[in-house]
Amino acid sequence: MSKLLITTLVLLSTLSVANALEDNKKILKKYCEVAHQNRQISKISIDNKFSYTEVCRYDTPWIENMYQTLCNGYQVKKDAITNEQINEINAPEYILFFFDGAADYNAGLAHVRLSPINIDGTEGVELGMGNANGLSALIKMMIYSNHTLAKNKDKIELHYHSASGFKNSVGFSSATSCAKETKYYLDVLNSIREEKINTKWMVMGYSNGGAMTIDFQNRVTDYGISIDLAFSIDPIVQTIFYPTHKIKDTIGERNENTKRFVNIYQNTDIDSLPGFQLRGKPVVNADLNILATPYNTSDLSSDGTYNHVRIVSSDRVFKATDCEFEKVFNPKSNCKWN
């Protein structure tokens, strides 16, 4: 190899490194400006109990750690930021958004039992009830069992949200806005660090939360997020829209960017909400639509009484979620539940 060629290659390599460093400076400059602004919005919202629908909580540990490592106010730190420091920012590898049913959201119970990343327990309950039907099933999966979620709970960044639309601070817009912000921060981190993070995105919901699961996987694809697993349990629309829901054969559709969508529903409910028959529907193009009946799901009542409530904590849902989440954590798993 000639000296001229060697010299040329060295110069090109040097220019490439210089350009990369310059690009990183621009990325970090924008990041610190955005993160600082979002941090201030979050602090004001939390301190004044406002509806913070545009940002994640600033005190989310990895978000706070990333900001403190890279920024001083809205500016990039003047001191050298080492690769070791950047690689020690422990961004989440697994993120789970869970939407509870209408009147089921219960921040106090969720905070004590599960400590979701987006609440501190003072957010109250939904519609003055806080029945925690979906939350009770989630607690069973994450704490009181040999469930995949329980075995991996320390790896999961959990978000717990309402689905009725009455609690904006923890509702759909809060969840999707935080997902958008999280994706941006992860992209920044992966652009400047040596060890890349392949975050898995999961969403699950019950009842109205099942409908929000469908909506969520559609919304976040606009932000460049592909859901690894969407799992809906007896999805139904909000009560005001229920007359239309009742006559339809399906509810929503699996987004083409969602890698796997599983839906379990029942169609025999009576009395879960007096005056209504709370019955889920199939999701169009879901990978699995499973109709749970009193004949194939022992927890359901043969006369339909409270079956909408019964299904979420049923053994069948427990086994289904155990296997489906296991496939996310271990793609080589050959578990079967259906």
Side-chain angles (χ1 to χ4, degrees):
M1 186 179 294
S2 68
K3 290 184 179 180
L4 177 60
L5 180 57
I6 293 174
T7 302
T8 301
L9 290 174
V10 170
L11 285 173
L12 288 174
S13 177
T14 302
L15 284 172
S16 177
V17 171
N19 287 336
L21 291 173
E22 190 61 32
D23 287 343
N24 281 351
K25 287 180 181 179
K26 292 178 181 178
I27 290 170
L28 288 180
K29 182 178 184 297
K30 180 183 176 182
Y31 160 73
C32 287
E33 291 172 353
V34 171
H36 178 72
Q37 180 181 20
N38 290 346
R39 181 181 172 83
Q40 300 310 307
I41 293 171
S42 175
K43 283 185 174 182
I44 292 171
S45 299
I46 293 170
D47 291 344
N48 294 280
K49 303 299 179 186
F50 292 155
S51 298
Y52 46 96
T53 60
E54 300 301 324
V55 295
C56 301
R57 285 186 65 112
Y58 81 94
D59 52 1
T60 300
W62 77 272
I63 291 178
E64 174 74 348
N65 180 222
M66 181 174 173
Y67 174 80
Q68 295 294 348
T69 299
L70 303 175
C71 307
N72 181 14
Y74 63 87
Q75 295 181 328
V76 182
K77 281 190 172 179
K78 292 181 179 179
D79 296 335
I81 301 169
T82 66
N83 285 333
E84 183 179 3
Q85 289 175 306
I86 294 173
N87 287 332
E88 286 178 353
I89 298 172
N90 294 315
E93 294 185 54
Y94 302 93
I95 299 176
L96 171 59
F97 284 83
F98 183 88
F99 292 92
D100 216 332
D104 288 321
Y105 179 83
N106 189 316
L109 180 60
H111 178 69
V112 170
R113 297 296 178 88
L114 295 174
S115 298
I117 211 73
N118 64 308
I119 62 175
D120 58 25
T122 64
E123 291 82 1
V125 300
E126 193 172 54
L127 300 177
M129 299 179 187
N131 296 322
N133 287 315
L135 177 61
S136 297
L138 184 62
I139 290 172
K140 179 182 175 184
M141 295 172 195
M142 296 196 74
I143 292 182
Y144 300 119
S145 68
N146 194 35
H147 195 283
T148 297
L149 292 182
K151 290 184 285 188
N152 293 281
K153 65 181 180 180
D154 292 338
K155 302 177 184 178
I156 302 170
E157 179 177 288
L158 174 65
H159 298 249
Y160 176 60
H161 291 272
S162 69
S164 73
F166 291 107
K167 291 187 75 65
N168 289 333
S169 65
V170 287
F172 181 75
S173 59
S174 173
T176 53
S177 295
C178 182
K180 180 180 181 180
E181 183 183 5
T182 296
K183 178 63 165 60
Y184 169 62
Y185 291 166
L186 288 172
D187 286 347
V188 168
L189 196 54
N190 277 332
S191 71
I192 63 173
R193 67 183 283 163
E194 296 172 331
E195 299 173 14
K196 308 304 180 185
I197 300 165
N198 181 25
T199 302
K200 303 292 185 182
W201 294 81
M202 306 171 287
V203 57
M204 180 165 65
Y206 159 63
S207 187
N208 288 167
M212 289 296 98
T213 295
I214 300 168
D215 293 340
F216 185 85
Q217 50 115 40
N218 285 326
R219 179 66 62 82
V220 300
T221 193
D222 295 338
Y223 312 142
I225 297 170
S226 295
I227 296 296
D228 291 272
L229 174 64
F231 198 112
S232 56
I233 305 168
D234 217 25
I236 61 173
V237 297
Q238 294 176 18
T239 305
I240 190 173
F241 303 116
Y242 197 76
T244 304
H245 170 87
K246 189 174 181 180
I247 63 176
K248 287 186 175 181
D249 295 327
T250 61
I251 178 172
E253 184 173 0
R254 170 187 172 270
N255 189 286
E256 62 180 7
N257 293 307
T258 296
K259 297 175 184 177
R260 186 165 176 81
F261 200 122
V262 177
N263 175 51
I264 297 182
Y265 68 102
Q266 56 77 41
N267 63 2
T268 56
D269 175 79
I270 59 172
D271 289 341
S272 288
L273 181 63
F276 293 86
Q277 295 175 332
L278 301 184
R279 301 175 179 183
K281 303 284 184 178
V283 174
V284 177
N285 292 330
D287 295 277
L288 283 177
N289 274 302
I290 303 299
L291 175 60
T293 71
Y295 304 102
N296 63 24
T297 306
S298 60
D299 304 82
L300 297 186
S301 170
S302 59
D303 64 3
T305 306
Y306 307 131
N307 276 350
H308 177 64
V309 174
R310 292 174 187 269
I311 189 174
V312 67
S313 295
S314 67
D315 186 59
R316 190 162 200 194
V317 166
F318 183 88
K319 290 179 178 177
T321 53
D322 181 30
C323 180
E324 292 298 333
F325 280 105
E326 181 181 331
K327 292 174 183 177
V328 176
F329 287 91
N330 178 18
K332 295 182 179 180
S333 172
N334 59 359
C335 70
K336 297 180 181 179
W337 62 271
N338 186 47

